[in-house]
Amino acid sequence: MSETAQASAAPTSIQSEIARRRTFAIISHPDAGKTTLTERILRAGGAIQLAGNVRAKGERRRTKSDWMGIERDRGISVVTSVMTFEYGDCVFNLLDTPGHEDFSEDTYRTLTAVDCAIMVIDAAKGIEARTRKLFEICRLRDIPIVTFINKMDREAQDSFALLDEIASTLALDTSPATWPVGRAAQFVGTYDIRTRELHGPAKELPQSDPRMVALSEELELVEAALPPFDREAFDAGHLTPVFFGSAMKEIGVTDLLDALVAYGPAPRAQPSESREVKADEEQVTALIFKIQANMDPNHRDRMAFARVCSGRLTRGMRLRHVRTGKQFALHTPQFFFARDRQLAEEAFGGDVVGIPNHGTLRIGDTLSESEDLRFTGVPHFAPEILRRVRLDDAMKAKKLRQALVELAEEGVVQLFRPQDGLPPIVGVVGTLQLDVLQSRLKGEYGVSIGFESTPFTMARWITGDRAKVEAFAMTNRSSMADDLDGDPVFLSSSAFMMRRTVEMNPDLAFHDIKQIGLASVN
């Protein structure tokens, strides 16, 4: 092939590969069945032979996506798991996010790396508080939503009532793609409204069966009252296709996967400070959205998870680390299946790859083939709980310092070093994060800690003229700390004191959100 022909063929190859990528997250309120659905999707996609059950016993409890010890002990997800597999000529990058609100910051960062989300709803409970909050995060980013109403094999609300609740609570139009055949113990499968086929254990039922009679009547109402699927409205985040099923019984899961193949969004353009970066651009760019330390405790590894935002990434290529301006060599990029991994010879826009490193890469970093750009939308939120760390064994002080830095870089907690030299303070959204920190320090680093209360209840990042920030810090030294990046943070004892401080310092700005990777002091 001539050089001209190769040049014209290369973009087409990149575009076709990117077009078959599907990168999505699964969001839900705890106990709606999110992790079970994740396991069933992996099994339906041929990725695992035996799907794990969160509430099962023994080896059946060993879900792929929940691989950490504390996750298995408690039957919950506390970190985002990344799983890459193929199905229906598409490459799926599935991100299983924590459902518990104490890990909302990790979930928010994960949603910066996906192109759509599957919203799992418990058929009996409907839309719950955590579901609503996660949906609002998706709406902020205009992420298309696919809805899966789970647990139809149990007592459930009326299907029309569930659809009405989605429409009224979330201001989201609903378009059923499938419809349940039977309810609770009589639930035997789903009816595909588009292909007019029965899916599930009972692929054929006589028309005289009461469930088929009820189905016929309900479908008339569906066609009369609910809008058909509209691709543009779905891509814009205004309409959600709705699927019914039971993850536990593996009913409706294949419907979901087939729909993602058919009309799941291909990799979307990603916002940067200077412009939007389209996935099919030839130049490689990538965003680090997650750090995971000690996935293999025997090797003390540290993995940065990157969303490839554009181009074709190949093993061995060198990319510019925009924050430091240095070149970064991709010797062993890897695809992940929870904790299992496979060497990635190449990856395309939309893929999620793991990059081994020794502390060089941080959450929010941008890697670029040549352009000096920074991706946006990866924030730190001000913590709601502040605790001072108490070390049980003073001989392990150095090890503790190293461990806290590594886990803070990973996003397990936020780390604040008081400027008056007192022991470090950790900030979290919820108390369960403290349990995770304590458990991981003990299990992965051999360091036992406790927590002590602090006089502080609020933390705010300070920006403004450098001289004025330094003068403020000198005056309020006992209430000042530096975060992991060395940026100044003001710690307040109450909301009243925070308001008073803000009023008395009009030349400074106090922030409850920090954009990761950006300089905060002018």
Side-chain angles (χ1 to χ4, degrees), residues 414-427:
Q414 291 185 48
L415 179 63
F416 302 108
R417 299 184 182 92
Q419 293 185 0
D420 58 9
L422 288 174
I425 292 173
V426 293

Side-chain angles (χ1 to χ4, degrees), residues 105-172:
E105 196 167 16
D106 188 35
T107 300
Y108 191 102
R109 287 194 291 262
T110 299
L111 291 175
T112 66
V114 303
D115 301 304
C116 74
I118 295 176
M119 178 171 65
V120 184
I121 294 175
D122 187 314
K125 298 175 182 177
I127 295 174
E128 298 172 87
R130 185 73 183 135
T131 309
R132 188 180 299 110
K133 289 180 181 178
L134 289 169
F135 171 78
E136 291 301 332
I137 294 172
C138 291
R139 171 157 281 171
L140 286 172
R141 300 186 57 81
D142 294 324
I143 296 173
I145 299 286
V146 177
T147 300
F148 183 75
I149 298 180
N150 192 25
K151 303 185 182 181
M152 291 302 299
D153 57 322
R154 305 181 187 179
E155 292 300 325
Q157 295 184 43
D158 175 75
S159 299
F160 287 102
L162 287 165
L163 296 179
D164 183 63
E165 184 180 6
I166 294 171
S168 59
T169 304
L170 305 180
L172 187 65

Side-chain angles (χ1 to χ4, degrees), residues 18-38:
I18 288 172
R20 70 189 194 99
R21 261 58 186 177
R22 302 289 186 269
T23 303
F24 65 100
I26 301 182
I27 61 173
S28 78
H29 192 85
D31 297 327
K34 174 178 60 64
T35 300
T36 302
L37 176 62
T38 300

